[in-house]
Amino acid sequence: MATTTQTAISSTQPSKPINAVDSASNIPRGPVTASLSFFSPPTEDSVAYQYVEPQPTGHPQRNFSDAYHDIQISDIRGSESDFSLDTNAFKAVSSVPLSSEIDFNSDDSVKQKYYPEVESLLLKHLPGASRVHIFDYTIRRTSPSAPRGPVNRVHIDQTPSSALARVPLHLPADEASELLKSRVRIVNVWRPLNGAVESFPLAFADSTSVPDEALVNVKLRYPDHTGETSGVKKTDGQRWHYWSGIDGDERLLLQCFDSEKGARVPHTAFADPRTKEGAKGRESIEVRALIFG
């Protein structure tokens, strides 16, 4: 995936959203039309796949391609309360207390300090949730030297089958069998790490506007196992959003699976054409969790 190195500048988030680019903060705001990368199936009649690590000699890294479409993306800034996980599969959370994890450079520190904060946040904002099990996290930076950069392709992290398979994968067999009898959700908790987002914001689609027919299973081939994610095809009527200038005291909850209500959120990073030269590169963390109840 392409990444871009950008120079950080100081910024101050305004108290009210505005259209276009906020000249004081370098943060693009308001509706925008941008190109998003959707799933285009393999030319041959075969199962779509992608190697997560370097692929074996003689095999392509993936056998599907991209279909780019210009999409109108609305800004939820100022209307955050209009959306919910149960219906739209995303939720914006504001006024989150300062994290005790500052650097996000140590795996042990992230798990010891930040994981408990994420668990508390999920239990607070997901009605009915009785247990949270965090199974991994990813830090993304727009730097050529970063292990992971923003993903510029529309996707959902799990398919229904791969989501349920994570329960026995991460929990003891006797617990897993009981937990699978209750409601199971997978939610990502997303936040920036270097202040308000000025470039490569995250776009997400309203679950109610994306039919199941738009989703395509993609095999993720790891060295030791094969997982599965959902590619997303462009269909009529999809409604896309972003949260302009999401800052360090805000969290975006992205639901990838819900065994009861079915809401799931396609999402992708995108290049905002209004991004100014000198805007800082995005740094973010997403924590993925199983939620029961």
Side-chain angles (χ1 to χ4, degrees):
M1 75 191 78
T3 57
T4 302
T5 303
Q6 298 178 304
T7 303
I9 63 171
S10 61
S11 63
T12 302
Q13 184 170 318
S15 58
K16 297 181 181 180
I18 61 173
N19 290 327
V21 176
D22 176 1
S23 59
S25 66
N26 234 30
I27 299 171
R29 296 190 185 276
V32 62
T33 297
S35 180
L36 301 187
S37 172
F38 291 85
F39 178 88
S40 182
T43 53
E44 69 280 5
D45 186 17
S46 60
V47 175
Y49 71 81
Q50 177 176 345
Y51 284 97
V52 178
E53 304 294 339
Q55 68 271 27
T57 303
H59 292 261
Q61 193 266 336
R62 57 185 171 106
N63 69 341
F64 60 94
S65 55
D66 303 305
Y68 291 91
H69 296 271
D70 288 339
I71 301 296
Q72 177 78 17
I73 308 172
S74 66
D75 186 0
I76 68 168
R77 177 71 62 184
S79 58
E80 292 91 337
S81 62
D82 293 348
F83 306 97
S84 71
L85 287 172
D86 283 352
T87 301
N88 315 104
F90 64 88
K91 179 181 176 66
V93 179
S94 301
S95 302
V96 178
L98 182 67
S99 175
S100 61
E101 174 58 37
I102 304 299
D103 297 324
F104 290 91
N105 289 323
S106 164
D107 183 63
D108 287 342
S109 184
V110 168
K111 292 177 178 178
Q112 292 170 8
K113 295 179 181 179
Y114 191 55
Y115 272 21
E117 298 171 359
V118 171
E119 180 177 348
S120 296
L121 183 84
L122 290 169
L123 289 172
K124 178 180 179 180
H125 289 281
L126 273 70
S130 59
R131 180 173 177 179
V132 173
H133 180 84
I134 297 172
F135 57 87
D136 70 14
Y137 73 93
T138 301
I139 291 176
R140 303 186 187 279
R141 294 183 169 95
T142 49
S143 167
S145 60
R148 299 283 186 92
V151 176
N152 297 297
R153 184 180 302 121
V154 179
H155 67 285
I156 303 174
D157 289 14
Q158 283 87 24
T159 63
S161 60
S162 67
L164 291 173
R166 284 199 173 272
V167 180
L169 178 65
H170 298 297
L171 293 161
D174 56 338
E175 291 184 44
S177 61
E178 286 301 312
L179 290 168
L180 284 168
K181 296 176 183 178
S182 66
R183 185 180 185 182
V184 179
R185 287 172 277 185
I186 291 183
V187 174
N188 294 358
V189 179
W190 194 99
R191 61 157 291 185
L193 296 179
N194 61 335
V197 171
E198 297 180 4
S199 64
F200 292 102
L202 196 69
F204 36 94
D206 187 329
S207 178
T208 63
S209 72
V210 182
D212 288 341
E213 293 73 25
L215 308 182
V216 182
N217 291 358
V218 177
K219 300 293 184 182
L220 289 181
R221 296 179 175 175
Y222 295 86
D224 57 349
H225 73 283
T226 298
E228 200 169 58
T229 187
S230 287
V232 182
K233 295 183 290 186
K234 172 68 175 66
T235 53
D236 292 339
Q238 292 182 6
R239 296 188 297 276
W240 284 86
H241 308 274
Y242 80 112
W243 194 9
S244 67
I246 178 173
D247 212 336
D249 64 343
E250 298 172 318
R251 304 288 185 271
L252 183 62
L253 309 186
L254 302 167
Q255 183 169 270
C256 295
F257 174 74
D258 183 350
S259 65
E260 184 176 290
K261 298 184 180 295
R264 69 287 184 264
V265 63
H267 53 282
T268 179
F270 71 98
D272 190 323
R274 304 166 299 176
T275 302
K276 285 188 174 182
E277 183 178 358
K280 66 186 175 188
R282 193 191 91 192
E283 298 183 7
S284 61
I285 183 171
E286 60 217 59
V287 176
R288 302 176 186 89
L290 285 158
I291 297 97
F292 303 100

